[in-house]
Amino acid sequence: MVRFPDAGVRRLAGAWALAWWLACTAPSTAATWVTTSQYDDARTGADTSETVLTPRNVNVRQFGHRFRIRVDGDVYAQPLYLPRLRLEGGAARNVLFIATERGSVYACDADSATVSPLWHASFVDPDAHVTAVPSRDLHCPFITPEVGITSTPVIDRAARTLYVLVRTREPGPDGAARYVQRLHALDLGRGTERPGSPVEIRASVSGTGEGSASHVIAFDPLRENPRASLLLIHGHVVLTWASSCDVGPYHGWIMFYDARTLTQEGVVNTTPDAGQGGIWQSDTGPAADESGRVFAITGNGRFDGADGGHDFGNSVLAVVADRGGLGIADSFTPFDQRDLDAGDGDLGSGGPVLVRDRDGHRRLVFAGKAGKLYVLDAHDLGGFHRSADTGAVQTFAESDGEYGAPAAWNGHLYVQGSGVPLRDFTLARGRLSATPAAQSREPMPNPGATPTVSANGTRDGIVWTVQSKPFGGDDRPAILHAYDAADVARELYTSEQDPARDRAGTALRFNIPTVADGKVYVGTRGGVDVYGLRKGTPG
C-alpha cells in the first residue's frame, strides 16, 4: 500500500508525472544524482560534484549533526538522492529515498526534519498478517528483529522508476506461513506500483546440488537472502542472493529482469551441483562495465569450474545477457580456494570496483575475508591456476579482512579493511602501489567500512566512512569519520568529537554514507542521521 501523509499531498497525485518531467528537464544547479549504491555502475563510491563540503570547512566547529529522519524500521540500504524535484506551486525539493527492514520505502525532504514524508510506500499489512520476515524464522541474528528491505534499491531517472526487492511473510492457501520475495517498480513521484509491478521471484535450474528435487533446484524465498545492492544496466534490473547465517540449503543466484516489463530474462545459479556460493559482498553491489558485463563475487562453496563443472564457489564471475539468457563469460578463482572454503574465508565478503588509470588500463579491484587485495584485468579475469594466482595482475595482503568495497577517485584507491587504518593506494600503469601512499593514524575495528569520496572534480576530496557494529558486539552509536583525501593521516572530523551534539543513532552493519549537495546521510537503527555545515558557516 502507499500512504500519503495528508490531503495536500494526495491532491498532488494527478500532477506528479508532469512535475517530475519538469524536474528532469529544467536547468539545475544541483549536480549530484545518487541513483544506485556507491554512485555508479562501476561502484567507485565517488561523488565528484560536491561543491559545498571541503577539507577546510569539515571540522567540529563548522560541521555537525543537523537533524534525524525517523522511519519505521532499520536502514541497511544506502539512501538514494535526487535533486530539485518540483512540487506543488513550482517549488523544488531535494528528495532522499530511504528503504527499511519494516518493508517500506520513503521519499523525504532531504533538507529538513519534517515529520511527514513526501510519500511512503509500505509493503506490509499487519491486519492481513502480511509482515516483514521475523528474524527468528531465519534462525539468524544478523538482522533483527525483522527482514524486509536490505539491498539498496536502484533508480531509473529516465523512466522515473525506483526498483526495490522486498521480503514478506504472509498467509498461504492452507493457512501456514508463506515466504515471498517480490521485485517492485515504483513511480518516483507517487510511490505507486508501475504497470506489471510487482513480480514474485521464482526460478529453477537443472542441478543435483543441495535442496534439489528430481535434478531441479528451485529458488527458496526463505533461505535466499538478498544483501548485495540492485543494479540497473542496459535495461536490465540485476538481483543477487546469498544466505542468512549460512542456514541451508542455499545457493548463489543472479537474475536479470527486463526493467520495462519486469519479465525475467535469465538466471544463473553459482553452485547447481553443490551448495552455498552466495553473493552478499557486505551489502555493496555487483559492478558493470560499459558493455553490460556484470561482475559479482561468490562466497564459500565448491569450485569445479576448471574441470568442466558448473560450481563457482569463492570466484569472481563476469555474467552477460544474450538472446539465450544469461551466461558466465569469464571468471577468476584463487589458487587457494579450497583453503578459503575450509576456513570460512569468503572471497565474496568484499565487493568489486572497476577502475581505469590514466594509461587506460581497466582493472577490477576487491578484497575478501582473508584480507588479500586482488587486482584483475577486467577484460581477462585470469581464470584458475592451481599453484599460484598467476592470472591476477596483482595480489597482496591488505588487512585482517575486507567487509565492503574500496572507493576510487583521482588515481587513488581508498580501502578500509577490518582492524587496520584507512589506506590510500595509488594506481598507475594498471597496478596499485605496493605500500600505501598514506594511511589514517588509527585502525578501524571489525568490520571496517565501505568508504565514500566527495570531491569537486579532482580537488577538495574527502573520504567518509561509517564505523559500525562489530560482529557479536553490543549496541553502540554509529560513528561518522571524515579524512582529507589528499592525506588520510589527517582526520578532519568524527561524530564523537562532540557527542552531545553530533552523536549518531545506533549502528547497524555495512552502512555506506551518502554525500550529496552539502549533506551526509547515514543509515542507522530506525532512521537516517543527517550531517552538514552548521548555520552561519560559509558554504
PDB file of all heavy atoms in Angstrom, residues 310-322:
ATOM      1  N   HIS A 310      30.160 -26.940 -12.995  1.00  0.00           N
ATOM      2  CA  HIS A 310      29.323 -25.747 -13.032  1.00  0.00           C
ATOM      3  C   HIS A 310      29.296 -24.994 -11.709  1.00  0.00           C
ATOM      4  O   HIS A 310      28.478 -24.084 -11.544  1.00  0.00           O
ATOM      5  CB  HIS A 310      27.889 -26.132 -13.409  1.00  0.00           C
ATOM      6  CG  HIS A 310      27.773 -26.871 -14.701  1.00  0.00           C
ATOM      7  ND1 HIS A 310      27.748 -28.248 -14.778  1.00  0.00           N
ATOM      8  CD2 HIS A 310      27.695 -26.430 -15.981  1.00  0.00           C
ATOM      9  CE1 HIS A 310      27.651 -28.626 -16.039  1.00  0.00           C
ATOM     10  NE2 HIS A 310      27.624 -27.538 -16.787  1.00  0.00           N
ATOM     11  N   ASP A 311      30.156 -25.383 -10.770  1.00  0.00           N
ATOM     12  CA  ASP A 311      30.135 -24.781  -9.440  1.00  0.00           C
ATOM     13  C   ASP A 311      31.279 -23.775  -9.292  1.00  0.00           C
ATOM     14  O   ASP A 311      32.441 -24.087  -9.595  1.00  0.00           O
ATOM     15  CB  ASP A 311      30.256 -25.857  -8.365  1.00  0.00           C
ATOM     16  CG  ASP A 311      29.115 -26.868  -8.438  1.00  0.00           C
ATOM     17  OD1 ASP A 311      27.972 -26.438  -8.703  1.00  0.00           O
ATOM     18  OD2 ASP A 311      29.368 -28.074  -8.239  1.00  0.00           O
ATOM     19  N   PHE A 312      30.934 -22.581  -8.795  1.00  0.00           N
ATOM     20  CA  PHE A 312      31.899 -21.475  -8.743  1.00  0.00           C
ATOM     21  C   PHE A 312      31.901 -20.824  -7.366  1.00  0.00           C
ATOM     22  O   PHE A 312      31.684 -19.623  -7.234  1.00  0.00           O
ATOM     23  CB  PHE A 312      31.581 -20.442  -9.821  1.00  0.00           C
ATOM     24  CG  PHE A 312      31.974 -20.872 -11.203  1.00  0.00           C
ATOM     25  CD1 PHE A 312      31.074 -21.590 -11.997  1.00  0.00           C
ATOM     26  CD2 PHE A 312      33.220 -20.591 -11.712  1.00  0.00           C
ATOM     27  CE1 PHE A 312      31.424 -21.996 -13.277  1.00  0.00           C
ATOM     28  CE2 PHE A 312      33.582 -20.993 -12.999  1.00  0.00           C
ATOM     29  CZ  PHE A 312      32.685 -21.707 -13.774  1.00  0.00           C
ATOM     30  N   GLY A 313      32.168 -21.623  -6.324  1.00  0.00           N
ATOM     31  CA  GLY A 313      32.382 -21.025  -5.019  1.00  0.00           C
ATOM     32  C   GLY A 313      33.672 -20.233  -4.987  1.00  0.00           C
ATOM     33  O   GLY A 313      34.627 -20.527  -5.701  1.00  0.00           O
ATOM     34  N   ASN A 314      33.710 -19.165  -4.150  1.00  0.00           N
ATOM     35  CA  ASN A 314      34.895 -18.305  -3.992  1.00  0.00           C
ATOM     36  C   ASN A 314      35.492 -17.898  -5.333  1.00  0.00           C
ATOM     37  O   ASN A 314      36.677 -18.119  -5.614  1.00  0.00           O
ATOM     38  CB  ASN A 314      35.945 -19.014  -3.125  1.00  0.00           C
ATOM     39  CG  ASN A 314      35.577 -18.999  -1.654  1.00  0.00           C
ATOM     40  OD1 ASN A 314      35.074 -18.000  -1.145  1.00  0.00           O
ATOM     41  ND2 ASN A 314      35.804 -20.100  -0.964  1.00  0.00           N
ATOM     42  N   SER A 315      34.672 -17.274  -6.155  1.00  0.00           N
ATOM     43  CA  SER A 315      35.092 -16.886  -7.504  1.00  0.00           C
ATOM     44  C   SER A 315      34.527 -15.515  -7.866  1.00  0.00           C
ATOM     45  O   SER A 315      33.508 -15.075  -7.324  1.00  0.00           O
ATOM     46  CB  SER A 315      34.593 -17.905  -8.542  1.00  0.00           C
ATOM     47  OG  SER A 315      35.134 -19.190  -8.321  1.00  0.00           O
ATOM     48  N   VAL A 316      35.220 -14.869  -8.795  1.00  0.00           N
ATOM     49  CA  VAL A 316      34.714 -13.663  -9.441  1.00  0.00           C
ATOM     50  C   VAL A 316      34.098 -14.081 -10.763  1.00  0.00           C
ATOM     51  O   VAL A 316      34.742 -14.781 -11.557  1.00  0.00           O
ATOM     52  CB  VAL A 316      35.838 -12.643  -9.690  1.00  0.00           C
ATOM     53  CG1 VAL A 316      35.279 -11.377 -10.335  1.00  0.00           C
ATOM     54  CG2 VAL A 316      36.563 -12.306  -8.394  1.00  0.00           C
ATOM     55  N   LEU A 317      32.860 -13.667 -11.011  1.00  0.00           N
ATOM     56  CA  LEU A 317      32.158 -14.049 -12.224  1.00  0.00           C
ATOM     57  C   LEU A 317      31.827 -12.814 -13.052  1.00  0.00           C
ATOM     58  O   LEU A 317      31.400 -11.787 -12.506  1.00  0.00           O
ATOM     59  CB  LEU A 317      30.856 -14.782 -11.895  1.00  0.00           C
ATOM     60  CG  LEU A 317      30.969 -16.028 -10.999  1.00  0.00           C
ATOM     61  CD1 LEU A 317      29.590 -16.609 -10.734  1.00  0.00           C
ATOM     62  CD2 LEU A 317      31.887 -17.053 -11.622  1.00  0.00           C
ATOM     63  N   ALA A 318      32.018 -12.921 -14.358  1.00  0.00           N
ATOM     64  CA  ALA A 318      31.527 -11.920 -15.303  1.00  0.00           C
ATOM     65  C   ALA A 318      30.348 -12.541 -16.029  1.00  0.00           C
ATOM     66  O   ALA A 318      30.499 -13.525 -16.760  1.00  0.00           O
ATOM     67  CB  ALA A 318      32.614 -11.516 -16.288  1.00  0.00           C
ATOM     68  N   VAL A 319      29.165 -11.992 -15.815  1.00  0.00           N
ATOM     69  CA  VAL A 319      27.935 -12.553 -16.357  1.00  0.00           C
ATOM     70  C   VAL A 319      27.423 -11.639 -17.451  1.00  0.00           C
ATOM     71  O   VAL A 319      27.432 -10.407 -17.313  1.00  0.00           O
ATOM     72  CB  VAL A 319      26.886 -12.718 -15.239  1.00  0.00           C
ATOM     73  CG1 VAL A 319      25.555 -13.198 -15.796  1.00  0.00           C
ATOM     74  CG2 VAL A 319      27.396 -13.682 -14.175  1.00  0.00           C
ATOM     75  N   VAL A 320      26.966 -12.233 -18.543  1.00  0.00           N
ATOM     76  CA  VAL A 320      26.448 -11.458 -19.671  1.00  0.00           C
ATOM     77  C   VAL A 320      25.072 -11.970 -20.042  1.00  0.00           C
ATOM     78  O   VAL A 320      24.736 -13.144 -19.833  1.00  0.00           O
ATOM     79  CB  VAL A 320      27.387 -11.535 -20.896  1.00  0.00           C
ATOM     80  CG1 VAL A 320      28.726 -10.916 -20.584  1.00  0.00           C
ATOM     81  CG2 VAL A 320      27.552 -12.976 -21.359  1.00  0.00           C
ATOM     82  N   ALA A 321      24.276 -11.067 -20.603  1.00  0.00           N
ATOM     83  CA  ALA A 321      22.950 -11.413 -21.091  1.00  0.00           C
ATOM     84  C   ALA A 321      22.972 -11.437 -22.612  1.00  0.00           C
ATOM     85  O   ALA A 321      23.565 -10.564 -23.256  1.00  0.00           O
ATOM     86  CB  ALA A 321      21.926 -10.390 -20.610  1.00  0.00           C
ATOM     87  N   ASP A 322      22.346 -12.455 -23.176  1.00  0.00           N
ATOM     88  CA  ASP A 322      22.170 -12.516 -24.624  1.00  0.00           C
ATOM     89  C   ASP A 322      20.819 -13.139 -24.906  1.00  0.00           C
ATOM     90  O   ASP A 322      20.018 -13.364 -23.995  1.00  0.00           O
ATOM     91  CB  ASP A 322      23.313 -13.303 -25.293  1.00  0.00           C
ATOM     92  CG  ASP A 322      23.472 -14.708 -24.726  1.00  0.00           C
ATOM     93  OD1 ASP A 322      22.459 -15.312 -24.321  1.00  0.00           O
ATOM     94  OD2 ASP A 322      24.606 -15.194 -24.686  1.00  0.00           O
TER      95      ASP A 322
END
